[in-house]
Structures are given as structure tokens and as C-alpha cells.
mmCIF file of all heavy atoms in Angstrom:
data_model
loop_
_atom_site.group_PDB
_atom_site.id
_atom_site.type_symbol
_atom_site.label_atom_id
_atom_site.label_comp_id
_atom_site.label_asym_id
_atom_site.label_seq_id
_atom_site.Cartn_x
_atom_site.Cartn_y
_atom_site.Cartn_z
ATOM 1 N N LYS A 21 -20.591 40.065 11.080
ATOM 2 C CA LYS A 21 -20.281 40.931 9.940
ATOM 3 C C LYS A 21 -21.245 42.107 9.787
ATOM 4 O O LYS A 21 -20.866 43.157 9.278
ATOM 5 C CB LYS A 21 -20.198 40.115 8.645
ATOM 6 C CG LYS A 21 -21.470 39.404 8.261
ATOM 7 C CD LYS A 21 -21.248 38.512 7.049
ATOM 8 C CE LYS A 21 -22.479 37.643 6.842
ATOM 9 N NZ LYS A 21 -22.224 36.554 5.937
ATOM 10 N N ASP A 22 -22.481 41.959 10.234
ATOM 11 C CA ASP A 22 -23.463 43.036 10.112
ATOM 12 C C ASP A 22 -23.706 43.771 11.432
ATOM 13 O O ASP A 22 -24.531 44.680 11.486
ATOM 14 C CB ASP A 22 -24.798 42.482 9.614
ATOM 15 C CG ASP A 22 -24.696 41.899 8.215
ATOM 16 O OD1 ASP A 22 -23.926 42.439 7.403
ATOM 17 O OD2 ASP A 22 -25.379 40.894 7.937
ATOM 18 N N ALA A 23 -23.002 43.381 12.480
ATOM 19 C CA ALA A 23 -23.233 43.961 13.807
ATOM 20 C C ALA A 23 -22.599 45.341 13.944
ATOM 21 O O ALA A 23 -21.547 45.609 13.371
ATOM 22 C CB ALA A 23 -22.672 43.034 14.880
ATOM 23 N N ASP A 24 -23.265 46.184 14.722
ATOM 24 C CA ASP A 24 -22.677 47.467 15.084
ATOM 25 C C ASP A 24 -21.803 47.306 16.323
ATOM 26 O O ASP A 24 -20.840 48.041 16.500
ATOM 27 C CB ASP A 24 -23.775 48.501 15.355
ATOM 28 C CG ASP A 24 -24.517 48.863 14.082
ATOM 29 O OD1 ASP A 24 -23.881 49.445 13.189
ATOM 30 O OD2 ASP A 24 -25.716 48.539 13.967
ATOM 31 N N ILE A 25 -22.166 46.349 17.169
ATOM 32 C CA ILE A 25 -21.370 46.031 18.355
ATOM 33 C C ILE A 25 -21.569 44.558 18.681
ATOM 34 O O ILE A 25 -22.658 44.007 18.492
ATOM 35 C CB ILE A 25 -21.742 46.929 19.561
ATOM 36 C CG1 ILE A 25 -20.750 46.738 20.728
ATOM 37 C CG2 ILE A 25 -23.183 46.711 19.988
ATOM 38 C CD1 ILE A 25 -20.874 47.803 21.821
ATOM 39 N N ILE A 26 -20.500 43.926 19.147
ATOM 40 C CA ILE A 26 -20.528 42.520 19.531
ATOM 41 C C ILE A 26 -20.123 42.452 20.996
ATOM 42 O O ILE A 26 -19.063 42.936 21.377
ATOM 43 C CB ILE A 26 -19.558 41.688 18.677
ATOM 44 C CG1 ILE A 26 -19.917 41.822 17.183
ATOM 45 C CG2 ILE A 26 -19.559 40.218 19.124
ATOM 46 C CD1 ILE A 26 -18.845 41.325 16.236
ATOM 47 N N LEU A 27 -20.993 41.860 21.807
ATOM 48 C CA LEU A 27 -20.743 41.748 23.242
ATOM 49 C C LEU A 27 -20.592 40.281 23.618
ATOM 50 O O LEU A 27 -21.425 39.456 23.250
ATOM 51 C CB LEU A 27 -21.902 42.366 24.028
ATOM 52 C CG LEU A 27 -22.214 43.834 23.726
ATOM 53 C CD1 LEU A 27 -23.489 44.262 24.436
ATOM 54 C CD2 LEU A 27 -21.045 44.708 24.132
ATOM 55 N N LEU A 28 -19.538 39.980 24.350
ATOM 56 C CA LEU A 28 -19.275 38.604 24.770
ATOM 57 C C LEU A 28 -19.648 38.413 26.228
ATOM 58 O O LEU A 28 -19.339 39.265 27.072
ATOM 59 C CB LEU A 28 -17.792 38.261 24.606
ATOM 60 C CG LEU A 28 -17.314 37.820 23.225
ATOM 61 C CD1 LEU A 28 -17.440 38.949 22.219
ATOM 62 C CD2 LEU A 28 -15.898 37.327 23.295
ATOM 63 N N GLY A 29 -20.264 37.284 26.518
ATOM 64 C CA GLY A 29 -20.559 36.913 27.896
ATOM 65 C C GLY A 29 -19.267 36.643 28.638
ATOM 66 O O GLY A 29 -18.277 36.202 28.037
ATOM 67 N N PRO A 30 -19.245 36.905 29.942
ATOM 68 C CA PRO A 30 -18.017 36.727 30.730
ATOM 69 C C PRO A 30 -17.440 35.314 30.668
ATOM 70 O O PRO A 30 -16.232 35.135 30.755
ATOM 71 C CB PRO A 30 -18.454 37.059 32.154
ATOM 72 C CG PRO A 30 -19.696 37.855 32.015
ATOM 73 C CD PRO A 30 -20.350 37.417 30.746
ATOM 74 N N GLN A 31 -18.285 34.316 30.473
ATOM 75 C CA GLN A 31 -17.810 32.940 30.462
ATOM 76 C C GLN A 31 -16.963 32.615 29.234
ATOM 77 O O GLN A 31 -16.283 31.599 29.202
ATOM 78 C CB GLN A 31 -18.987 31.957 30.610
ATOM 79 C CG GLN A 31 -19.869 31.822 29.387
ATOM 80 C CD GLN A 31 -20.953 32.869 29.262
ATOM 81 O OE1 GLN A 31 -20.818 33.987 29.719
ATOM 82 N NE2 GLN A 31 -22.055 32.513 28.619
ATOM 83 N N ILE A 32 -16.985 33.488 28.227
ATOM 84 C CA ILE A 32 -16.146 33.260 27.037
ATOM 85 C C ILE A 32 -15.161 34.405 26.832
ATOM 86 O O ILE A 32 -14.734 34.672 25.707
ATOM 87 C CB ILE A 32 -16.992 33.023 25.766
ATOM 88 C CG1 ILE A 32 -17.888 34.221 25.457
ATOM 89 C CG2 ILE A 32 -17.787 31.732 25.872
ATOM 90 C CD1 ILE A 32 -18.418 34.227 24.040
ATOM 91 N N GLN A 33 -14.758 35.044 27.911
ATOM 92 C CA GLN A 33 -13.823 36.165 27.795
ATOM 93 C C GLN A 33 -12.524 35.773 27.100
ATOM 94 O O GLN A 33 -11.897 36.596 26.429
ATOM 95 C CB GLN A 33 -13.545 36.787 29.151
ATOM 96 C CG GLN A 33 -12.896 35.864 30.144
ATOM 97 C CD GLN A 33 -12.733 36.534 31.506
ATOM 98 O OE1 GLN A 33 -12.600 37.746 31.592
ATOM 99 N NE2 GLN A 33 -12.744 35.747 32.557
ATOM 100 N N PHE A 34 -12.147 34.509 27.207
ATOM 101 C CA PHE A 34 -10.927 34.024 26.549
ATOM 102 C C PHE A 34 -11.034 34.066 25.027
ATOM 103 O O PHE A 34 -10.033 33.943 24.320
ATOM 104 C CB PHE A 34 -10.584 32.600 27.021
ATOM 105 C CG PHE A 34 -11.625 31.578 26.653
ATOM 106 C CD1 PHE A 34 -11.509 30.836 25.483
ATOM 107 C CD2 PHE A 34 -12.727 31.348 27.471
ATOM 108 C CE1 PHE A 34 -12.467 29.895 25.131
ATOM 109 C CE2 PHE A 34 -13.689 30.399 27.136
ATOM 110 C CZ PHE A 34 -13.557 29.682 25.963
ATOM 111 N N GLN A 35 -12.251 34.253 24.495
ATOM 112 C CA GLN A 35 -12.476 34.304 23.043
ATOM 113 C C GLN A 35 -12.399 35.730 22.492
ATOM 114 O O GLN A 35 -12.511 35.940 21.287
ATOM 115 C CB GLN A 35 -13.869 33.734 22.716
ATOM 116 C CG GLN A 35 -14.040 32.285 23.052
ATOM 117 C CD GLN A 35 -13.565 31.377 21.938
ATOM 118 O OE1 GLN A 35 -12.894 31.805 21.002
ATOM 119 N NE2 GLN A 35 -13.900 30.116 22.025
ATOM 120 N N LEU A 36 -12.201 36.719 23.366
ATOM 121 C CA LEU A 36 -12.247 38.122 22.956
ATOM 122 C C LEU A 36 -11.312 38.434 21.784
ATOM 123 O O LEU A 36 -11.750 38.991 20.764
ATOM 124 C CB LEU A 36 -11.941 39.039 24.144
ATOM 125 C CG LEU A 36 -12.004 40.543 23.869
ATOM 126 C CD1 LEU A 36 -13.419 40.978 23.529
ATOM 127 C CD2 LEU A 36 -11.490 41.316 25.079
ATOM 128 N N GLU A 37 -10.056 38.089 21.892
ATOM 129 C CA GLU A 37 -9.095 38.412 20.831
ATOM 130 C C GLU A 37 -9.409 37.676 19.536
ATOM 131 O O GLU A 37 -9.253 38.232 18.441
ATOM 132 C CB GLU A 37 -7.664 38.138 21.290
ATOM 133 C CG GLU A 37 -7.196 39.080 22.386
ATOM 134 C CD GLU A 37 -7.355 40.562 22.033
ATOM 135 O OE1 GLU A 37 -6.998 40.952 20.895
ATOM 136 O OE2 GLU A 37 -7.832 41.327 22.896
ATOM 137 N N ARG A 38 -9.867 36.437 19.648
ATOM 138 C CA ARG A 38 -10.230 35.670 18.447
ATOM 139 C C ARG A 38 -11.399 36.328 17.719
ATOM 140 O O ARG A 38 -11.379 36.488 16.491
ATOM 141 C CB ARG A 38 -10.587 34.223 18.804
ATOM 142 C CG ARG A 38 -10.850 33.358 17.569
ATOM 143 C CD ARG A 38 -11.236 31.939 17.948
ATOM 144 N NE ARG A 38 -12.619 31.828 18.359
ATOM 145 C CZ ARG A 38 -13.662 31.767 17.504
ATOM 146 N NH1 ARG A 38 -13.464 31.845 16.204
ATOM 147 N NH2 ARG A 38 -14.879 31.637 17.959
ATOM 148 N N VAL A 39 -12.412 36.742 18.470
ATOM 149 C CA VAL A 39 -13.572 37.386 17.851
ATOM 150 C C VAL A 39 -13.167 38.712 17.219
ATOM 151 O O VAL A 39 -13.611 39.047 16.122
ATOM 152 C CB VAL A 39 -14.728 37.560 18.872
ATOM 153 C CG1 VAL A 39 -15.873 38.364 18.274
ATOM 154 C CG2 VAL A 39 -15.242 36.200 19.345
ATOM 155 N N LYS A 40 -12.297 39.466 17.877
ATOM 156 C CA LYS A 40 -11.813 40.720 17.296
ATOM 157 C C LYS A 40 -11.104 40.468 15.960
ATOM 158 O O LYS A 40 -11.262 41.242 15.013
ATOM 159 C CB LYS A 40 -10.846 41.427 18.252
ATOM 160 C CG LYS A 40 -11.525 42.117 19.407
ATOM 161 C CD LYS A 40 -10.500 42.812 20.286
ATOM 162 C CE LYS A 40 -11.169 43.568 21.415
ATOM 163 N NZ LYS A 40 -10.185 44.298 22.240
ATOM 164 N N LYS A 41 -10.363 39.373 15.870
ATOM 165 C CA LYS A 41 -9.642 39.051 14.637
ATOM 166 C C LYS A 41 -10.580 38.629 13.514
ATOM 167 O O LYS A 41 -10.347 38.963 12.352
ATOM 168 C CB LYS A 41 -8.623 37.939 14.894
ATOM 169 C CG LYS A 41 -7.397 38.428 15.619
ATOM 170 C CD LYS A 41 -6.410 37.301 15.862
ATOM 171 C CE LYS A 41 -5.262 37.799 16.723
ATOM 172 N NZ LYS A 41 -4.391 36.728 17.173
ATOM 173 N N ILE A 42 -11.625 37.890 13.851
ATOM 174 C CA ILE A 42 -12.528 37.422 12.791
ATOM 175 C C ILE A 42 -13.615 38.446 12.447
ATOM 176 O O ILE A 42 -14.318 38.274 11.463
ATOM 177 C CB ILE A 42 -13.151 36.043 13.109
ATOM 178 C CG1 ILE A 42 -14.002 36.070 14.370
ATOM 179 C CG2 ILE A 42 -12.096 34.977 13.203
ATOM 180 C CD1 ILE A 42 -14.720 34.764 14.652
ATOM 181 N N CYS A 43 -13.705 39.513 13.245
ATOM 182 C CA CYS A 43 -14.663 40.590 12.977
ATOM 183 C C CYS A 43 -13.921 41.932 12.960
ATOM 184 O O CYS A 43 -14.193 42.806 13.797
ATOM 185 C CB CYS A 43 -15.766 40.596 14.035
ATOM 186 S SG CYS A 43 -16.750 39.099 14.105
ATOM 187 N N PRO A 44 -12.997 42.098 12.025
ATOM 188 C CA PRO A 44 -12.194 43.326 12.004
ATOM 189 C C PRO A 44 -13.061 44.565 11.781
ATOM 190 O O PRO A 44 -14.042 44.525 11.041
ATOM 191 C CB PRO A 44 -11.227 43.101 10.837
ATOM 192 C CG PRO A 44 -11.889 42.095 9.967
ATOM 193 C CD PRO A 44 -12.713 41.228 10.891
ATOM 194 N N GLY A 45 -12.688 45.627 12.466
ATOM 195 C CA GLY A 45 -13.416 46.886 12.318
ATOM 196 C C GLY A 45 -14.676 46.982 13.144
ATOM 197 O O GLY A 45 -15.350 48.005 13.119
ATOM 198 N N LYS A 46 -15.000 45.937 13.863
ATOM 199 C CA LYS A 46 -16.198 45.928 14.709
ATOM 200 C C LYS A 46 -15.824 46.225 16.156
ATOM 201 O O LYS A 46 -14.729 45.903 16.605
ATOM 202 C CB LYS A 46 -16.913 44.566 14.659
ATOM 203 C CG LYS A 46 -17.354 44.148 13.281
ATOM 204 C CD LYS A 46 -18.435 45.062 12.764
ATOM 205 C CE LYS A 46 -18.868 44.667 11.358
ATOM 206 N NZ LYS A 46 -19.925 45.515 10.859
ATOM 207 N N ILE A 47 -16.750 46.832 16.872
ATOM 208 C CA ILE A 47 -16.562 47.020 18.310
ATOM 209 C C ILE A 47 -16.880 45.680 18.962
ATOM 210 O O ILE A 47 -17.983 45.146 18.806
ATOM 211 C CB ILE A 47 -17.496 48.113 18.861
ATOM 212 C CG1 ILE A 47 -17.191 49.455 18.205
ATOM 213 C CG2 ILE A 47 -17.361 48.208 20.382
ATOM 214 C CD1 ILE A 47 -18.212 50.536 18.506
ATOM 215 N N VAL A 48 -15.896 45.122 19.665
ATOM 216 C CA VAL A 48 -16.058 43.829 20.333
ATOM 217 C C VAL A 48 -15.632 44.022 21.784
ATOM 218 O O VAL A 48 -14.493 44.404 22.053
ATOM 219 C CB VAL A 48 -15.204 42.721 19.672
ATOM 220 C CG1 VAL A 48 -15.429 41.384 20.372
ATOM 221 C CG2 VAL A 48 -15.505 42.610 18.181
ATOM 222 N N GLU A 49 -16.551 43.756 22.706
ATOM 223 C CA GLU A 49 -16.270 43.973 24.117
ATOM 224 C C GLU A 49 -16.889 42.871 24.967
ATOM 225 O O GLU A 49 -17.804 42.177 24.528
ATOM 226 C CB GLU A 49 -16.859 45.309 24.577
ATOM 227 C CG GLU A 49 -16.261 46.504 23.893
ATOM 228 C CD GLU A 49 -16.767 47.810 24.469
ATOM 229 O OE1 GLU A 49 -17.756 47.811 25.228
ATOM 230 O OE2 GLU A 49 -16.158 48.839 24.163
ATOM 231 N N LEU A 50 -16.385 42.793 26.196
ATOM 232 C CA LEU A 50 -16.974 41.897 27.181
ATOM 233 C C LEU A 50 -18.138 42.599 27.865
ATOM 234 O O LEU A 50 -18.081 43.803 28.112
ATOM 235 C CB LEU A 50 -15.954 41.509 28.250
ATOM 236 C CG LEU A 50 -14.747 40.696 27.789
ATOM 237 C CD1 LEU A 50 -13.782 40.517 28.946
ATOM 238 C CD2 LEU A 50 -15.189 39.351 27.243
ATOM 239 N N ILE A 51 -19.166 41.847 28.202
ATOM 240 C CA ILE A 51 -20.265 42.383 29.001
ATOM 241 C C ILE A 51 -19.775 42.462 30.441
ATOM 242 O O ILE A 51 -19.152 41.527 30.946
ATOM 243 C CB ILE A 51 -21.507 41.463 28.925
ATOM 244 C CG1 ILE A 51 -21.994 41.347 27.472
ATOM 245 C CG2 ILE A 51 -22.622 41.987 29.838
ATOM 246 C CD1 ILE A 51 -23.034 40.268 27.245
ATOM 247 N N ASN A 52 -20.047 43.577 31.086
ATOM 248 C CA ASN A 52 -19.685 43.750 32.484
ATOM 249 C C ASN A 52 -20.227 42.573 33.290
ATOM 250 O O ASN A 52 -21.412 42.252 33.204
ATOM 251 C CB ASN A 52 -20.259 45.072 32.994
ATOM 252 C CG ASN A 52 -19.998 45.295 34.453
ATOM 253 O OD1 ASN A 52 -20.658 44.694 35.303
ATOM 254 N ND2 ASN A 52 -19.064 46.162 34.758
ATOM 255 N N ILE A 53 -19.357 41.936 34.067
ATOM 256 C CA ILE A 53 -19.736 40.717 34.780
ATOM 257 C C ILE A 53 -20.872 40.944 35.792
ATOM 258 O O ILE A 53 -21.748 40.100 35.943
ATOM 259 C CB ILE A 53 -18.517 40.035 35.438
ATOM 260 C CG1 ILE A 53 -18.867 38.621 35.876
ATOM 261 C CG2 ILE A 53 -17.961 40.884 36.575
ATOM 262 C CD1 ILE A 53 -17.665 37.760 36.174
#
């Protein structure tokens, strides 16, 4: 909620859409593998 950007490790790439939904308006991306 307080993040300017949220980066996900490649091992949880399947969580990307879920994190985007629970953190609306935030930049949420995968870290380059």
C-alpha cells in the first residue's frame, strides 16, 4: 500500500495478476529473470 513500485521474483510470476488486484494503482512488475 505504501510502495512506489512492487517487484516480484520470477519464482512467483503466477502471482502477478493477484498482486496487481490487491495493490490497485501501484506499479507491479516481474524482476527480469
Side-chain angles (χ1 to χ4, degrees):
K21 61 186 171 194
D22 296 325
D24 292 295
I25 189 167
I26 302 166
L27 302 173
L28 277 65
Q31 73 276 29
I32 60 163
Q33 62 184 331
F34 63 94
Q35 296 274 13
L36 182 66
E37 292 306 315
R38 185 181 79 80
V39 174
K40 284 181 177 183
K41 284 180 186 171
I42 62 175
C43 299
K46 301 293 179 179
I47 298 170
V48 181
E49 297 186 347
L50 296 175
I51 299 169
N52 177 284
I53 194 164

